[in-house]
C-alpha cells in the first residue's frame, strides 16, 4: 500500500481524548450546532491509508473509512495529486454554465461500471441524499406516478424527501416533519429477525403483497432499495429476495432504484452489491467511495429513462465539481488497477472468521453478517433476540479508547459495523480486530456498570 510517511501502525501517546482534542472539544461546544454530532471526540490532524493521526499525535486504526468513503485509503496519493492538479487549473465553472471533460469521463466510467450492459446516462450531484432525490425525480417524471416504495430499516439521507424515505425516527426524523408524501414502507428481508426459515422469495412475496394491497403498481413511480442495508444494520437480504423484487418491478413497469451509496465501488466484493445475484436495477444511486473522499454523487440510469427528463430539469451549482470529478477518476483507477473488489472479499474472510469466533464464544453476539468488507455483529441479550444497544455502545467506546475506530448502526442501535479502507494492511486489520475482540469479551462478560 502507498502510505506516505505515516506508518500503518496503531500508536497511543496520550490518554484518549488527549489534551489537544479536549481543547478543541471545548471550542466546538461553543461554536458548533450540537445537532451535528461526532462518534469519537478525537480531532484529526493527518491521515493516510487506514491510519488517522489525531492532534495529540495518536495513531488510530480506521475501521470506518469515514462511513465507507475512503475505500482507496485516506489521502491516497493519486487522488491527492489529481485534486492538486485540478485545483491549480480551475476549481469551478458550474457544469451547467461551462462544461469540462472530467464530468463527462466520470459519467462514462459509471455507465461502464454499474450493473447491466444496456445504454445508460449519468447525472452528477453532491451528496448521497441529493442523488436519491434525483433518482425519485427521474422515476416520477418518467412514469407520471407519485408513489415511492421503501423498506423497513432503510436509510436514504437527511433532506426532506430522504428523511421520509428513511425508516428510523431517532435521530434522523424526530421533530423534523411534516415529511414528503407518497412514501410507502414495506417489510425488508432481515433473516435474523424474520420468522425462522423464511426464504428470500417468501420475504419478497410478503413485501409485494403489501405493495399491491396498499399502493398498486399503477400509482408507483419506483421501488427504492439498498441491496445491503447500511445504517439500518448491515442487513443482507436472504438470497432470492432482490431478484424477486426486480422481477416484480420489471413485470409491472415500475423502475427499480438501487441505493448503492454505501455498498458501491467494491465494498461488498463486487463493484456493486446488486451484482451478487445478477440484479440489474433501472437506476443506481452512488456517492461515498466514488470520489476517494471528495463530495460527489451520481444517478446512473437506463438511457431511455434518463433521456425523458427535459433539458435543464436536473443539475445544481456544484454537482460534478471538477475537483471532485478529478478525484473520482483517480479513485476509480485505483479500484480497477488494484482490484479492490478482490481485496474486499479477502478482508471479508478475515473479518468474518474473527466475528464468527466471537459469536461462538459469547451468546450476546446474536448475529454475524455482511458481505465483503462490509461486516457487522448484532448484539442481543443472551438467550434472546432482544437488542442490546448498550453493549454496542460500550464495545465501541472501549475500541475508541484503544485507538480503533468502529461505528455502530442498526434500527435498534445494537450493531457494530466494520468498513475499513479496502487498502488496509492485514497486520493492521488484525490488530484492530484483536482490540474489538477484547472489547466484546470485556463488555459481554462483565456486568453492565
Ligand atoms: C445507503 C445510503 N443512502 C443515502 C445516504 C445519504 O448520503 P449522504 O450522507 O451523502 O447524503 C447514505 C449515507 O450514509 C447511505 O448510506
Amino acid at each position: 500500500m502507498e502510505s506516505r510517511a505515516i506508518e500503518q501502525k496503531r500508536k497511543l501517546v496520550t490518554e484518549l481524548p488527549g489534551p489537544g482534542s479536549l481543547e478543541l472539544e471545548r471550542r466546538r461546544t461553543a461554536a458548533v450546532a450540537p445537532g451535528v454530532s461526532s462518534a469519537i471526540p478525537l480531532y484529526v490532524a493527518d491521515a493516510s491509508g487506514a491510519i488517522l493521526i489525531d492532534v495529540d499525535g495518536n495513531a488510530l486504526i480506521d475501521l470506518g473509512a469515514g462511513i465507507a468513503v475512503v475505500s482507496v485509503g485516506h489521502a491516497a496519493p493519486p487522488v491527492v495529486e489529481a485534486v492538486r492538479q485540478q485545483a491549480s487549473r480551475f476549481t469551478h465553472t458550474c457544469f451547467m454554465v461551462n462544461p469540462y471533460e472530467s464530468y463527462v469521463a466520470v459519467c462514462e466510467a459509471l455507465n461502464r461500471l454499474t450493473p447491466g450492459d444496456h445504454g445508460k446516462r449519468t447525472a452528477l450531484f453532491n451528496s448521497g441524499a441529493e442523488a436519491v432525490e434525483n433518482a425519485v425525480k427521474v422515476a416520477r417524471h418518467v412514469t407520471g406516478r407519485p408513489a415511492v416504495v421503501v423498506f423497513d430499516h432503510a436509510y436514504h439521507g437527511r433532506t426532506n424527501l430522504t428523511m421520509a424515505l428513511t425508516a428510523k425516527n431517532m435521530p434522523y426524523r424526530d421533530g423534523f416533519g411534516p415529511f414528503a408524501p407518497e412514501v410507502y414502507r414495506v417489510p425488508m428481508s432481515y433473516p435474523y429477525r424474520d420468522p425462522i426459515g423464511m426464504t428470500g422469495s417468501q420475504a419478497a412475496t410478503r413485501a409485494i403483497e403489501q405493495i399491491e394491497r396498499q399502493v398498486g403498481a399503477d400509482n408507483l413511480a419506483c421501488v427504492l432499495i439498498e441491496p445491503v442495508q447500511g445504517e439500518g444494520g448491515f442487513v443482507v437480504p436472504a438470497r432470492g429476495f432482490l431478484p424477486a423484487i426486480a422481477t416484480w418491478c420489471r413485470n409491472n413497469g415500475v423502475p427499480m432504484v438501487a441505493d448503492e451509496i454505501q455498498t458501491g465501488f467494491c465494498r461488498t466484493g463486487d463493484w456493486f452489491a446488486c451484482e451478487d445475484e445478477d440484479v440489474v436495477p433501472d437506476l443506481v444511486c452512488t456517492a461515498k467511495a466514488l470520489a476517494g473522499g471528495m463530495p460527489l454523487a451520481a444517478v446512473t440510469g437506463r438511457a431511455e429513462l434518463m433521456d425523458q427528463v427535459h433539458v435543464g430539469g436536473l443539475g445544481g451549482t456544484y454537482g460534478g465539481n471538477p475537483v471532485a470529478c478529478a478525484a473520482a477518476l483517480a479513485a476509480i483507477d485505483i479500484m480497477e488497477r488494484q482490484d479492490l473488489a478482490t481485496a474486499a472479499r479477502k478482508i471479508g474472510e478475515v473479518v468474518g472468521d474473527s466475528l464468527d469466533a466471537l459469536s461462538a464464544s459469547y451468546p450476546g453476539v446474536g448475529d454475524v453478517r455482511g458481505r465483503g468488507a462490509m461486516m457487522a455483529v448484532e448484539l442481543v441479550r443472551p438467550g434472546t433476540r432482544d437488542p442490546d444497544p448498550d453493549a454496542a455502545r460500550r464495545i465501541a467506546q472501549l475500541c475508541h479508547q484503544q485507538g480503533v475506530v468502529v461505528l455502530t448502526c442498526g434500527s435498534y442501535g445494537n450493531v457494530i459495523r466494520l468498513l475499513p479502507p479496502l487498502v488496509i494492511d492485514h497486520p493492521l486489520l488484525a490488530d484492530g480486530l484483536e482490540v474489538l475482540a477484547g472489547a466484546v469479551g470485556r463488555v459481554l462478560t462483565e456486568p453492565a456498570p
Side-chain angles (χ1 to χ4, degrees):
M1 188 173 95
E2 298 162 283
S3 60
R4 279 195 295 147
I6 295 181
E7 195 187 2
Q8 296 296 296
K9 202 157 185 275
R10 180 171 64 104
K11 193 165 145 215
L12 303 186
V13 295
T14 70
E15 293 231 318
L16 298 184
S21 280
L22 287 172
E23 174 52 25
L24 284 168
E25 193 67 0
R26 270 191 289 278
R27 278 174 54 195
R28 174 204 181 119
T29 306
V32 179
V36 183
S37 64
S38 300
I40 309 159
L42 301 178
Y43 286 75
V44 174
D46 209 343
S48 167
I51 288 285
L52 297 167
I53 308 287
D54 77 3
V55 288
D56 295 296
N58 296 295
L60 321 168
I61 306 177
D62 187 0
L63 299 185
I67 320 189
V69 169
V70 285
S71 291
V72 296
H74 287 281
V79 173
V80 173
E81 183 53 23
V83 165
R84 201 188 60 72
Q85 279 191 23
Q86 178 57 47
S88 70
R89 296 214 305 278
F90 62 96
T91 55
H92 178 80
T93 61
C94 185
F95 190 76
M96 299 185 306
V97 179
N98 290 109
Y100 37 88
E101 187 196 351
S102 56
Y103 186 116
V104 178
V106 171
C107 295
E108 287 169 345
L110 287 168
N111 295 346
R112 174 170 59 85
L113 292 166
T114 50
D117 51 14
H118 48 276
K120 296 175 203 158
R121 305 273 191 266
T122 290
L124 301 180
F125 305 97
N126 301 294
S127 67
E130 210 188 333
V132 172
E133 292 252 0
N134 278 279
V136 172
K137 271 172 69 171
V138 171
R140 282 180 167 156
H141 193 277
V142 165
T143 59
R145 307 178 199 139
V148 179
V149 159
V150 288
F151 290 81
D152 281 340
H153 315 288
Y155 180 87
H156 298 292
R158 292 175 181 267
T159 57
N160 186 264
L161 174 60
T162 57
M163 276 192 292
L165 301 170
T166 289
K168 191 173 173 179
N169 179 47
M170 236 4 209
Y172 306 124
R173 300 161 49 107
D174 195 60
F176 296 136
F179 300 112
E182 288 297 335
V183 172
Y184 299 88
R185 193 168 307 286
V186 300
M188 179 65 178
S189 166
Y190 189 158
Y192 180 61
R193 295 198 172 272
D194 280 343
I196 289 167
M198 180 178 253
T199 64
S201 92
Q202 287 166 342
T205 302
R206 178 179 61 178
I208 287 163
E209 274 175 9
Q210 197 161 313
I211 296 171
E212 290 180 338
R213 197 162 16 92
Q214 296 188 6
V215 192
D218 289 349
N219 300 306
L220 194 47
C222 61
V223 171
L224 169 64
I225 189 161
E226 297 157 87
V228 174
Q229 289 184 322
E231 306 303 302
F234 281 27
V235 177
V236 184
R239 288 194 81 72
F241 179 77
L242 278 182
I245 297 287
T247 301
W248 183 86
C249 284
R250 196 166 48 250
N251 291 344
N252 289 275
V254 174
M256 178 182 183
V257 183
D259 179 342
E260 291 256 16
I261 287 165
Q262 192 154 157
T263 49
F265 300 104
C266 305
R267 173 59 52 188
T268 62
D270 288 302
W271 270 88
F272 294 94
C274 280
E275 289 167 44
D276 185 59
E277 292 189 87
D278 295 326
V279 166
V280 179
D282 301 295
L283 296 158
V284 182
C285 301
T286 54
K288 288 194 184 281
L290 164 59
M294 296 296 285
L296 189 66
V299 176
T300 303
R302 288 185 187 279
E304 65 267 28
L305 302 185
M306 300 294 280
D307 286 351
Q308 286 185 48
V309 177
H310 50 271
V311 172
L314 305 174
T317 304
Y318 291 112
N321 168 272
V323 181
C325 284
L329 294 172
I332 289 170
D333 185 57
I334 295 173
M335 292 179 219
E336 292 197 285
R337 268 191 306 109
Q338 297 188 18
D339 188 8
L340 292 192
T342 300
R345 266 181 248 134
K346 287 189 183 143
I347 290 170
E349 282 165 25
V350 173
V351 175
D353 286 349
S354 165
L355 301 184
D356 283 341
L358 294 178
S359 159
S361 306
Y362 305 105
V365 176
D367 194 25
V368 172
R369 59 174 179 257
R371 194 184 299 149
M374 185 172 179
M375 297 293 296
V377 287
E378 175 157 359
L379 298 153
V380 293
R381 298 192 208 301
T384 75
R385 290 185 185 209
D386 300 345
D388 192 348
D390 191 52
R393 188 186 52 74
R394 288 166 59 216
I395 290 166
Q397 212 167 37
L398 272 181
C399 290
H400 301 164
Q401 282 163 4
Q402 293 169 82
V404 178
V405 174
V406 297
L407 303 172
T408 58
C409 66
S411 287
Y412 315 102
N414 65 329
V415 176
I416 304 256
R417 58 173 156 170
L418 303 174
L419 342 97
L422 304 180
V423 294
I424 190 168
D425 288 343
H426 278 238
L428 194 64
L429 178 62
D431 183 25
L433 291 171
E434 211 174 295
V435 169
L436 173 65
V440 169
R442 231 175 100 183
V443 168
L444 297 188
T445 51
E446 278 176 6

